[in-house]
Amino acid sequence: MRLSYTALKTFQQCHFRYHLRYDRGLASRPRPVAQSSRALHGALHLFHQGLKSQPAAKDVLFPSAAVSLDTLLAHFIRLL
C-alpha cells in the first residue's frame, strides 16, 4: 500500500472520498486548468498530425492550409 500526502489529506478531509479514489480507483474530476492543458496538448497533436500528412513541398517552408492559426484554434475549441 502506497500512501502520499494527497492520499492522507483526502482521508483526513473525507473518508468516503478516500474510499472512492484510492480503494475503488475512481478518478476525480479534472481541474479546469488540467482540462484546458489537455485540450491544448490534443489540439497541438492534431495540428502536428495534419502537418505530417501534407505532401512534402521542397520550395514551400510551411504549407498554407495546414499551418494556420484558424486550424489550430478550431482543434482547440473542439477539444474543450
Side-chain angles (χ1 to χ4, degrees):
M1 180 172 154
R2 291 179 44 193
L3 289 179
S4 65
Y5 173 78
T6 305
L8 291 174
K9 186 176 177 183
T10 302
F11 184 80
Q12 182 183 21
Q13 291 173 345
C14 180
H15 300 294
F16 187 65
R17 181 187 294 170
Y18 176 88
H19 169 72
L20 292 177
R21 175 70 179 105
Y22 296 99
D23 292 339
R24 293 289 188 117
L26 297 176
S28 59
R29 280 184 280 165
R31 295 180 181 160
V33 172
Q35 188 175 5
S36 62
S37 296
R38 287 184 186 136
L40 179 59
H41 183 268
L44 289 171
H45 174 74
L46 291 172
F47 185 72
H48 185 255
Q49 293 299 321
L51 285 177
K52 286 177 22 178
S53 68
Q54 294 290 324
K58 295 181 182 181
D59 58 339
V60 177
L61 182 60
F62 295 110
S64 61
V67 181
S68 72
L69 184 58
D70 293 332
T71 304
L72 182 59
L73 289 175
H75 289 312
F76 181 68
I77 297 298
R78 187 172 53 105
L79 293 173
L80 274 179

